[in-house]
Amino acid sequence: MERQGDGTCIKKGPWTAEEDEVLLNYVNEHGPRDWSSIRSKGLLPRTGKSCRLRWVNKLRPNLKTGCKFSAEEERVVIELQAHFGNKWAKIATYLSGRTDNDVKNFWSTRRKRLERILQTSPPNSQQNKGKDPVFHELPILEVPACGFTAMQEGSPSGKNQCLPLYPESSEEYKMMGLPGLVRSNSQTLEADLPALETISMQMVRPFESVSDCPFSQPQLDLSLIPECEELAIEPCDLNFLDMFKQAEHLEAETGPKSVTSIPPMGLKDNAFNAKQGGAEAPPSPDSFFDDFSPEMFDYLEPLPSSSGL
DNA sequence: AAAGGCGACAACCGCAGGCCG
DNA sequence: ACGGCCTGCGGTTGTCGCCTT
């Protein structure tokens, strides 16, 4: 309990069943609003904020409480995070029964795990001396941002298209990741929102089989955003290729079971090798995604739930 | 069996935006 | 136009239970 200036006490910490009941009764009677009046009326010694949070995250109807993220949900979160950034509330609206807190927790747990996995990897090659560790860029590496665009087969243009992304800040750019720099022609994000709705629909009705999963059918028609082309090459040098070299090195040392035995994220061998040689032109945009497949997620994190698809 | 690591989840905090007087 | 209040959001931290060593 914490005493306020007005003499009243504010309770913090875990909610009791009795408090939940009071809160539910209040919402049933008044609707999910006027949270502050719950305290002012003396119904609960909780702030309006705390009440709202409790209702949104636990008491609201149709929540998937105690239910782990399915493989499809994971993929959707990954895709949407690549496009929206850390807009958890927005992402949550595309996942039936999930709250922003759920998505946020899911993502941070995932990120922590990835960081830890890579931290246990041997030190980077000389190329990384004096640079931030590669794992700082992890969210980039795990997000093949164009994967879900393959489901836009019914788009008006009749083509599968990548959502356009124009990073306005370096932070946005970092969050987005290289694949997000690739897009087709002049489409707006708003124009692609129906496609996102499709994702939501898919989440409500889980894919019947692997072959139904739109993520497994990448047919991309992509081109680089001209103004970002230069930027796109940079992270490739700094991160992707470092990762690939690391992976290659580690695989030689520890065998293919190593967690860092990383497939080259859709880079075709020729593109990868050309880049390694350093003399050739950067890989073509298409070559980044020709090999995209759902398995590309799996090196980062096994998806136990996906095995049962 | 005990200890530590880790993942999942719950809840708080600070900030920003909208609304209203 | 301005300030206060309310709501919503994102970041962070704490807790608990399970698993591994």
Side-chain angles (χ1 to χ4, degrees):
Chain A
M1 283 285 192
E2 198 175 276
R3 188 166 289 279
Q4 299 294 291
D6 58 4
T8 61
C9 291
I10 297 292
K11 184 182 175 187
K12 294 181 182 179
W15 281 65
T16 65
E18 289 75 20
E19 288 176 312
D20 281 347
E21 197 179 339
V22 171
L23 182 56
L24 270 175
N25 287 337
Y26 176 86
V27 172
N28 288 337
E29 200 171 328
H30 301 91
R33 66 180 78 87
D34 296 333
W35 300 109
S36 297
S37 65
I38 295 175
R39 186 165 78 94
S40 62
K41 288 178 180 174
L43 297 174
L44 287 173
R46 300 271 187 175
T47 64
K49 220 172 170 177
S50 179
C51 292
R52 179 191 154 272
L53 207 60
R54 180 66 180 173
W55 187 80
V56 167
N57 289 330
K58 291 299 292 181
L59 303 178
R60 201 172 46 162
N62 304 323
L63 287 180
K64 288 183 185 173
T65 47
C67 177
K68 280 193 174 183
F69 274 64
S70 68
E72 285 74 29
E73 284 175 311
E74 290 184 19
R75 292 176 201 279
V76 169
V77 171
I78 290 165
E79 298 288 348
L80 292 177
Q81 200 278 342
H83 289 284
F84 293 136
N86 296 357
K87 301 295 179 187
W88 309 122
K90 185 161 192 167
I91 292 170
T93 62
Y94 292 95
L95 295 169
S96 165
R98 298 295 186 188
T99 70
D100 57 345
N101 217 25
D102 290 335
V103 179
K104 193 164 55 181
N105 284 333
F106 163 74
W107 188 262
S108 70
T109 298
R110 181 190 173 85
R111 201 190 62 215
K112 272 189 270 183
R113 185 164 54 216
L114 286 165
E115 285 179 359
R116 188 171 35 76
I117 287 172
L118 286 192
Q119 264 179 327
T120 60
S121 303
N124 287 335
S125 63
Q126 287 196 343
Q127 196 173 348
N128 266 343
K129 281 182 180 172
K131 293 175 182 174
D132 285 344
V134 165
F135 63 77
H136 284 169
E137 302 292 335
L138 270 177
I140 292 175
L141 294 172
E142 66 179 342
V143 178
C146 288
F148 87 92
T149 57
M151 67 170 61
Q152 301 179 56
E153 292 182 346
S155 66
S157 67
K159 282 186 173 183
N160 297 320
Q161 292 164 328
C162 220
L163 293 186
L165 287 167
Y166 298 94
E168 293 176 356
S169 67
S170 59
E171 196 58 34
E172 260 182 288
Y173 172 76
K174 275 175 66 178
M175 284 201 299
M176 179 170 65
L178 179 58
L181 291 169
V182 192
R183 65 173 175 94
S184 66
N185 300 326
S186 55
Q187 277 220 313
T188 64
L189 181 61
E190 287 72 21
D192 280 301
L193 282 176
L196 299 177
E197 297 293 347
T198 306
I199 296 174
S200 185
M201 294 293 287
Q202 295 282 9
M203 296 317 301
V204 174
R205 186 186 63 81
F207 310 120
E208 306 286 341
S209 66
V210 174
S211 63
D212 287 339
C213 176
F215 298 105
S216 64
Q217 304 163 8
Q219 301 170 4
L220 302 167
D221 178 19
L222 305 165
S223 62
L224 273 176
I225 301 169
E227 57 270 36
C228 295
E229 207 158 2
E230 193 177 341
L231 286 173
I233 296 168
E234 277 300 307
C236 186
D237 284 341
L238 296 178
N239 303 311
F240 277 73
L241 296 179
D242 278 352
M243 288 290 287
F244 303 151
K245 285 180 181 175
Q246 266 195 312
E248 221 173 35
H249 178 66
L250 272 161
E251 189 160 340
E253 280 187 355
T254 63
K257 289 289 183 184
S258 163
V259 290
T260 48
S261 302
I262 299 168
M265 293 295 287
L267 279 172
K268 275 189 169 178
D269 287 345
N270 58 347
F272 179 49
N273 294 337
K275 198 61 192 170
Q276 275 202 308
E280 298 296 321
S284 71
D286 285 351
S287 68
F288 274 88
F289 302 104
D290 283 350
D291 294 336
F292 259 120
S293 71
E295 290 76 40
M296 292 174 61
F297 293 98
D298 295 342
Y299 84 88
L300 290 164
E301 173 190 44
L303 298 174
S305 48
S306 62
S307 61
L309 286 178

